[in-house]
Amino acid sequence: MPDTLLEQHAEALRLFGERVRAVEDGQWGAPTPCTEWSVRDLVNHVTGEQLWIPPMVTDGRTTEEIGDALSGDVLGEDPADAWERASSAAHAAFTVPGALDRTVRLSYGPALGRAYCAELTADCVVHTWDLSRGIGADDRLPDGLVEFALKEVMPYADGLAASGLFAAPLDVPAGANAQTRLLALVGRQG
């Protein structure tokens, strides 16, 4: 199990990248557990999130300064290549000495780089499950990443549905494993 935040981040990106490379040509339009998104929409969303990291963490830019420069289709003709470039640049930005201790000005306010990295790592873990479901791949997630994401999401799980980006949390059956608990917190039925 990865020990540090940067190792967790790298592992989450690697796992999502494996699923992106597993998407077959006819699957890009397939539905995902994110009811508004196809497989391509989901991959575009997660790739787009990675593209925000270098300008925000390395350059200190705000969401307002970036504006809609990273909106729309960021995948182009080769989604796997777009993912690889975006995720590599994102991880590199977080590994710059001091990056995790910098204040990043997010749409909802200032946060430390480490909080931003943790949030995006958990998001990538959950979206790996979504993508796995969308393409019919094995949806079991590594225990260490699940535990990491669960700890990250728990403090603000109640507010996720209010954001409009997540379904309401589901009831968790007694004795449920960590992956089932994580998915229920973000409104997904495992």
Side-chain angles (χ1 to χ4, degrees):
M1 177 174 131
D3 293 325
T4 70
L5 174 57
L6 290 174
E7 289 171 337
Q8 295 281 4
H9 182 250
E11 178 66 8
L13 294 176
R14 183 195 62 71
L15 190 62
F16 189 82
E18 284 178 3
R19 298 306 190 275
V20 171
R21 288 186 297 281
V23 178
E24 296 175 7
D25 288 341
Q27 293 180 312
W28 290 103
T32 69
C34 301
T35 57
E36 302 294 316
W37 289 340
S38 67
V39 165
R40 185 177 177 94
D41 295 331
L42 174 66
V43 173
N44 190 70
H45 164 73
V46 181
T47 302
E49 285 185 325
Q50 306 317 306
L51 291 173
W52 282 86
I53 295 168
M56 294 185 77
V57 173
T58 305
D59 303 338
R61 295 175 65 196
T62 65
T63 56
E64 293 81 20
E65 290 169 337
I66 297 167
D68 62 1
L70 301 174
S71 298
D73 180 11
V74 299
L75 298 179
E77 295 295 316
D78 189 345
D81 182 61
W83 165 257
E84 291 302 326
R85 284 184 284 111
S87 64
S88 293
H91 189 68
F94 279 130
T95 62
V96 170
L100 296 179
D101 297 319
R102 278 190 199 125
T103 298
V104 181
R105 294 171 292 166
L106 304 171
S107 60
Y108 55 81
L112 283 179
R114 75 180 61 261
Y116 184 39
C117 183
E119 175 187 327
L120 290 179
T121 300
D123 190 67
C124 194
V125 171
V126 171
H127 285 318
T128 297
W129 182 86
D130 294 330
L131 183 54
S132 298
R133 282 289 176 106
I135 65 172
D138 182 359
D139 65 6
R140 289 174 296 167
L141 301 168
D143 292 342
L145 284 178
V146 169
E147 290 292 342
F148 174 88
L150 190 56
K151 287 176 188 167
E152 173 63 23
V153 171
M154 284 179 77
Y156 55 85
D158 291 341
L160 291 176
S163 73
L165 300 174
F166 293 86
L170 304 174
D171 291 331
V172 180
N177 66 23
Q179 181 168 315
T180 301
R181 291 193 321 272
L182 171 63
L183 295 172
L185 282 175
V186 294
R188 288 155 171 86
Q189 181 97 29

